[in-house]
Amino acid sequence: MSTTAVEVIYRGIFQRTMAKHITRGIVLAARKEGKVGIAFGRYGDSPERNGIPAKQFAIVAANDEELQGSIAKYEPTEVDVTIAVDDALCKGVESWAWYGLQPVNKLLKENGTLIVTSTKSAEELIPHIHKKDVAYNLAIIKGKASFSGLWVYKNDHTDMRMLGALPRVAPHLFGSPALEAAIREEWKDDLKVASAEKSFERVQIRKVKPDEGSPEIPFSFTMPGWKSMEEGLVVRAIPLGGHFEGYDGGYRPERNPYFKKFTTRTMRPVVDFAKCTKCTLCWLQCPDSCFDVTPDGYYDANMEACCGCGVCEAVCPVDKCVTMVNETQFEDNKSQWEMWTKDKNGYAGWLAKKIEHRPERSHGFHHRGQYEGEKIEQID
Amino acid sequence: MAAQATGAAAAKAPPTSKSDDQEMLISGCEAIAHACRLADIDVVTAYPIRPYDTVMQMVSKMIADGDLDAEYIVAESEHSQFEIVKHASAVGARVFAGSSGVGWFYAFEALAVTAGLRLPVVAMVGNRALDDPGAFGTEHNDALAVRDLGWMLTWVETAQEAMDNALIAFRVAEDPHVFLPCAVSVDGAFLTHSQHLVKVPSREKVNQFLKPYNRGNKLLHPDNPITIAPQVNEDWLIEIRKQNDEAMKRARGVIAEAYKDFNRIFGRNYSPFLEEYMTDDADVVLVGQGTLAMPVKVTVRKLREQGKKVGFVRLKWFRPFPTEEIQQSLKRFKAVGVIDRDYSFGSPYSGGVLYTEIRSALYDLPNRPLLHGFICGLGGREVTIEGVTEMSEILLKSAKSGKLEKQVAWIGVRE
Ligand code: SF4
Ligand code: SF4
């Protein structure tokens, strides 16, 4: 056995404790079978802020010497299993230093497994996931994304359910008895053991063929050498923007092509332009300056720039004019205003369907009792 | 405002017949202030600490007297002092700030980023022992602490050289091939508070030597929209360090060029990196920086009278370190003694910083001289003729026997 690597992709802060439980659980379970391992995370400035995709890893090896090659590294070059604890991450991640959108399955080995928590089916998720030139497995654990905070942990067993699926999808990591022994020792909770067992039985696995998935080509660029980089830590400003392409007026600011941030989004605003009074509040208040000013004076949230914070929905004074919708309902970042301009009736129908999917997820922990109303059916 | 016949003006003496230089009786600090005036600095920051603080006093007087037009900002700490000049430098101002001892250390974060950002801040360090215990005397560990950060560092021997090197510092720091900060180190008390006769040149001459600071397309200005100092990570930082390293390497050539012009314009005869004193036929030499050159030169002459072939090499630039010049010079002697007015606790041979650096610079020579380190004059204690004689005798003994007496010796410390 060489090393086995597992990557956990999670939303910064909200899911950090959970990601840590998963990677710890992996190493502790493997230890029960006499193996060794390490668990580590990529820390940084941006990646640990609210909602921003971040990563933690667990590496398991037969002995210390085999493990050494995986120590003092930021990321393994390939992984046997990728775990995404929010299905919106299937669209891709910018986990570190914002080098553009990267496929969620980028590090996955041939015939490796991507495990996702989702209430959606594999058929619904696969169109979001970038194509890979080798086959892999998609394993779905039914459930919505579990979000907590920096100071609180929502102990809903999502972590145990992720661990429970591992003996099914990667039996060479560890078997169920080892995992159960580890959970019992570390968390001292038989209910958690039961959650892991159930997950082992219920996880749904489907092969994904090389031609399946989103055809989008991920962003890439070459890093300059010291001779070509500008000296003095100078970064040239993004040029000013201009008119809407194909129109006389409007203003669309030029945006940094290297810094998109939209993988932070778990929900996005949709705007009912028919209701909009052009009051400018969304445009003024958006913390990311996402709104393009349309030639006819509306405000169009640019989905290349929006991080999904929900401020525009909160400040819009018109009832049901801006609505936040689950990000997984969308397959592209197209302009809503352009869609509306071309076909107002078509847009109204599209909008009505989208706003059925108001987010059942919660960004962070706000108050005591927040989660009490949540129904167990949603996860089981 | 016309200059009045007080203070600076009163110190002015009639011009000498040969040149339009004015001879003035001024301290090392005041000489640096005159360099600021002659360089026509735009922004200066002040926060008092002995012994550098005479500079800020003198510069404020020059502004009050109408001899200098500059923004004079009294900061609430050394940290702010150096942050302010860093920012001013980014927007194209020629800047100056100074400090001493632990004050300089309080500015450390700002000092590190100034070099990292390639901003040509010129500073004076009035060398002072680091507290605690509280002490005012000269010791070089304060300025030396920035040696690994990308600051250029120069030490001076006289008030004349303090003024001249400050002008050279502006020229080298602001050269677009360099764009690195430079600190001029001036020994506390012996130079900061000691008035020497100094030839002060005219602004016209200085203007020939020192062109206006031009940051080019790195200027932080609304018409040139840029960001500086972004957050970077491991994918970028090593390339940035490499760029700064190349700038520091280029500084050697720029310094040599600046001295050539300086000598031509001001009629001086400086060699850029080293001053050699009675070394032509010397068997052994002492090496050191700053004002200790004075008692050493006196001692060398005395020993020469006794037929002892002793010489002295004064190092003028510590960063960039003149490795080749040091190798070419020191390989000619049988034994060399490095005098450190600083110390590096726990260093490879329990020696001073200069000793450790010179030892490293000589490593590749096929025939290295025997190398001694002398710790002397810490905390501002005088370096005496007796002390230098003791060092010289140790060197002569080593040279004769061909073997090292003792790697490092503390001179003048009470047992
Ligand atoms: S959700 Fe609204 S306010 Fe927040 S970034 Fe997106 S457009 Fe801006
Ligand atoms: S806040 Fe609402 S009403 Fe006001 S401009 Fe934005 S979308 Fe229109």
Side-chain angles (χ1 to χ4, degrees):
Chain A
M1 174 193 163
S2 57
T3 57
T4 306
V6 181
E7 165 189 48
V8 180
I9 308 179
Y10 66 99
R11 297 255 173 224
I13 306 291
F14 305 143
Q15 299 183 306
R16 183 167 62 180
T17 306
M18 175 164 62
K20 187 176 149 200
H21 285 179
I22 296 169
T23 53
R24 271 182 70 75
I26 291 167
V27 176
L28 293 172
R31 190 77 194 119
K32 291 283 171 210
E33 293 187 357
K35 296 162 191 160
V36 294
I38 53 164
F40 58 97
R42 293 202 80 161
Y43 70 88
D45 190 17
S46 292
E48 281 286 15
R49 289 193 183 157
N50 288 2
I52 293 174
K55 293 182 175 189
Q56 291 195 26
F57 301 91
I59 316 281
V60 169
N63 56 51
D64 284 338
E65 275 183 19
E66 282 190 5
L67 193 60
Q68 279 171 354
S70 305
I71 299 179
K73 284 168 77 92
Y74 289 111
E75 285 201 9
T77 41
E78 51 176 19
V79 298
D80 300 79
V81 178
T82 292
I83 296 175
V85 282
D86 174 8
D87 56 1
L89 292 165
C90 286
K91 292 185 169 193
V93 291
E94 292 172 82
S95 72
W96 182 252
W98 307 101
Y99 293 146
L101 185 79
Q102 299 297 328
V104 71
N105 54 10
K106 189 183 171 193
L107 299 186
L108 208 55
K109 282 182 190 165
E110 182 167 11
N111 296 321
T113 304
L114 168 64
I115 308 178
V116 182
T117 49
S118 185
T119 54
K120 291 187 176 298
S121 68
E123 276 57 42
E124 287 173 292
L125 287 181
I126 288 169
H128 292 306
I129 306 171
H130 289 81
K131 271 186 188 172
K132 216 172 154 62
D133 49 17
V134 294
Y136 65 97
N137 302 303
L138 174 63
I140 295 180
I141 292 176
K142 205 176 164 210
K144 57 174 209 163
S146 167
F147 289 134
S148 300
L150 181 60
W151 310 111
V152 290
Y153 185 57
K154 183 180 174 186
N155 202 359
D156 62 5
H157 295 200
T158 302
D159 43 9
M160 299 302 130
R161 301 171 74 232
M162 290 303 185
L163 285 169
L166 285 170
R168 268 283 292 282
V169 307
H172 52 294
L173 260 178
F174 46 75
S176 291
L179 176 64
E180 283 162 23
I183 293 175
R184 221 168 246 121
E185 188 175 296
E186 178 74 359
W187 286 284
K188 300 175 181 62
D189 185 344
D190 285 341
L191 267 181
K192 291 197 174 188
V193 174
S195 289
E197 276 172 356
K198 269 194 204 166
S199 175
F200 181 89
E201 290 155 20
R202 293 180 187 175
V203 58
Q204 288 176 6
I205 307 165
R206 176 212 195 274
K207 194 115 207 140
V208 184
K209 294 195 290 286
D211 59 344
E212 287 184 284
S214 155
E216 188 188 35
I217 311 285
F219 178 77
S220 71
F221 74 105
T222 0
M223 293 208 226
W226 67 267
K227 290 180 184 167
S228 53
M229 264 166 72
E230 180 143 12
E231 294 197 27
L233 275 82
V234 169
V235 182
R236 298 276 146 205
I238 302 296
L240 295 175
H243 285 178
F244 264 52
E245 229 181 280
Y247 293 88
D248 268 352
Y251 181 69
R252 186 175 269 162
E254 197 78 38
R255 293 188 170 92
N256 190 337
Y258 310 117
F259 189 61
K260 296 217 187 276
K261 300 174 289 182
F262 62 79
T263 56
T264 300
R265 206 160 63 209
T266 62
M267 50 186 186
R268 72 162 70 171
V270 288
V271 182
D272 189 347
F273 295 99
K275 291 197 176 116
C276 171
T277 62
K278 304 183 181 179
C279 77
T280 76
L281 278 178
C282 55
W283 173 72
L284 272 173
Q285 299 289 333
C286 170
D288 283 81
S289 302
C290 295
F291 284 89
D292 295 339
V293 186
T294 69
D296 47 358
Y298 288 100
Y299 299 94
D300 186 27
N302 190 313
M303 287 302 128
E304 291 278 314
C306 166
C307 68
C309 69
V311 165
C312 48
E313 182 191 50
V315 299
C316 178
V318 181
D319 190 35
K320 298 197 179 71
C321 176
V322 180
T323 312
M324 299 306 289
V325 172
N326 275 342
E327 179 60 23
T328 44
Q329 294 307 313
F330 303 89
E331 260 142 50
D332 57 44
N333 284 333
K334 282 192 189 129
S335 158
Q336 293 168 17
W337 175 81
E338 276 169 20
M339 212 193 308
W340 178 67
T341 309
K342 278 185 199 126
D343 175 7
K344 297 206 161 119
N345 284 332
Y347 185 78
W350 177 85
L351 190 70
K353 279 198 72 147
K354 290 297 176 199
I355 58 181
E356 284 170 14
H357 301 276
R358 290 184 50 71
E360 74 277 354
R361 58 182 91 234
S362 139
H363 252 161
F365 186 88
H366 299 289
H367 56 85
R368 197 180 159 87
Q370 180 182 346
Y371 301 118
E372 277 163 18
E374 290 183 356
K375 300 278 186 305
I376 196 71
E377 304 87 81
Q378 282 182 325
I379 56 166
D380 211 6
Chain B
M1 194 179 108
Q4 288 172 2
T6 53
K12 284 176 192 164
T16 53
S17 53
K18 273 216 210 103
S19 75
D20 55 356
D21 289 352
Q22 280 191 314
E23 195 179 86
M24 298 186 190
L25 180 64
I26 50 177
S27 69
C29 282
E30 288 164 339
I32 295 271
H34 276 282
C36 290
R37 175 181 64 78
L38 291 166
D40 196 16
I41 56 165
D42 302 304
V43 176
V44 55
T45 56
Y47 186 81
I49 184 168
R50 272 175 288 180
Y52 119 91
D53 54 355
T54 313
V55 179
M56 52 178 250
Q57 203 179 349
M58 188 65 179
V59 170
S60 73
K61 178 158 177 50
M62 286 168 169
I63 293 172
D65 287 349
D67 292 334
L68 171 65
D69 181 13
E71 288 295 331
Y72 187 99
I73 300 167
V74 181
E76 99 300 349
S77 71
E78 289 88 353
H79 187 279
S80 299
Q81 233 190 317
F82 282 91
E83 276 296 327
I84 293 165
V85 288
K86 178 194 93 182
H87 286 87
S89 180
V91 300
R94 175 170 287 165
V95 297
F96 172 83
S99 194
S100 287
V102 288
W104 175 248
F105 271 45
Y106 191 54
F108 223 87
E109 185 192 17
L111 299 178
V113 292
T114 301
L117 287 176
R118 306 284 297 279
L119 292 166
V121 169
V122 171
M124 170 198 164
V125 182
N127 292 131
R128 167 178 168 167
L130 294 164
D131 305 344
D132 269 347
F136 298 119
T138 192
E139 213 177 83
H140 293 169
N141 276 103
D142 54 359
L144 281 172
V146 300
R147 69 182 188 264
D148 300 331
L149 301 184
W151 275 76
M152 295 183 285
L153 282 169
T154 172
W155 260 267
V156 298
E157 180 190 25
T158 60
Q160 181 73 59
E161 204 185 15
M163 187 189 71
D164 292 351
N165 271 30
L167 292 173
I168 290 166
F170 281 114
R171 159 106 171 223
V172 175
E174 293 172 1
D175 189 302
H177 295 99
V178 179
F179 276 159
L180 286 172
C182 182
V184 182
S185 277
V186 180
D187 279 352
F190 304 131
L191 203 42
T192 56
H193 285 61
S194 152
Q195 298 180 46
H196 299 205
L197 291 168
V198 175
K199 280 186 261 160
V200 180
S202 67
R203 256 213 186 146
E204 289 66 45
K205 259 193 197 169
V206 172
N207 288 345
Q208 281 177 50
F209 175 70
L210 200 56
K211 299 283 166 268
Y213 170 37
N214 182 355
R215 204 152 169 77
N217 71 349
K218 298 190 195 313
L219 186 73
L220 196 59
H221 189 278
D223 293 343
N224 182 46
I226 55 166
T227 294
I228 62 169
Q231 175 90 15
V232 301
N233 58 36
E234 75 279 357
D235 289 333
W236 301 87
L237 195 57
I238 192 167
E239 283 74 22
I240 294 163
R241 298 277 188 253
K242 181 70 189 141
Q243 289 180 333
N244 291 15
D245 175 51
E246 291 296 318
M248 186 60 97
K249 285 183 190 158
R250 287 194 295 266
R252 289 196 178 101
V254 174
I255 290 169
E257 199 59 38
Y259 272 87
K260 244 193 237 163
D261 274 358
F262 195 90
N263 288 344
R264 178 175 54 78
I265 295 166
F266 299 97
R268 307 255 207 282
N269 192 24
Y270 288 133
S271 73
F273 296 107
L274 305 177
E275 181 204 347
E276 297 216 1
Y277 187 77
M278 296 197 168
T279 57
D280 281 352
D281 61 341
D283 289 328
V284 302
V285 295
L286 289 158
V287 185
Q289 311 191 102
T291 54
L292 59 79
M294 296 300 178
V296 175
K297 285 175 181 173
V298 174
T299 314
V300 165
R301 284 199 301 274
K302 276 187 185 285
L303 292 170
R304 285 273 171 178
E305 280 165 21
Q306 299 164 23
K308 292 175 178 163
K309 292 187 174 168
V310 181
F312 175 59
V313 175
R314 183 167 66 89
L315 183 70
K316 296 159 73 173
W317 287 80
F318 187 84
R319 285 289 182 267
F321 197 83
T323 313
E324 226 170 274
E325 289 80 356
I326 278 284
Q327 286 177 340
Q328 293 312 315
S329 169
L330 301 189
K331 73 175 186 192
R332 293 149 42 212
F333 313 112
K334 291 183 185 140
V336 171
V338 181
I339 313 175
D340 271 286
R341 194 164 227 160
D342 61 77
Y343 193 62
S344 179
F345 292 98
S347 58
Y349 294 93
S350 292
V353 176
L354 188 54
Y355 164 77
T356 305
E357 295 260 332
I358 289 180
R359 205 178 155 90
S360 154
L362 299 184
Y363 185 82
D364 287 334
L365 286 182
N367 298 306
R368 294 184 286 259
L370 294 168
L371 192 70
H372 287 264
F374 298 115
I375 307 302
C376 187
L378 298 188
R381 187 166 300 178
E382 282 178 29
V383 176
T384 61
I385 291 169
E386 295 72 40
V388 181
T389 307
E390 191 186 334
M391 298 177 213
S392 306
E393 294 299 348
I394 294 173
L395 293 182
L396 289 163
K397 208 167 154 198
S398 283
K400 200 165 166 205
S401 68
K403 68 179 216 292
L404 205 62
E405 281 295 306
K406 191 181 178 200
Q407 261 151 345
V408 177
W410 288 57
I411 304 296
V413 60
R414 291 189 296 274
E415 292 286 335

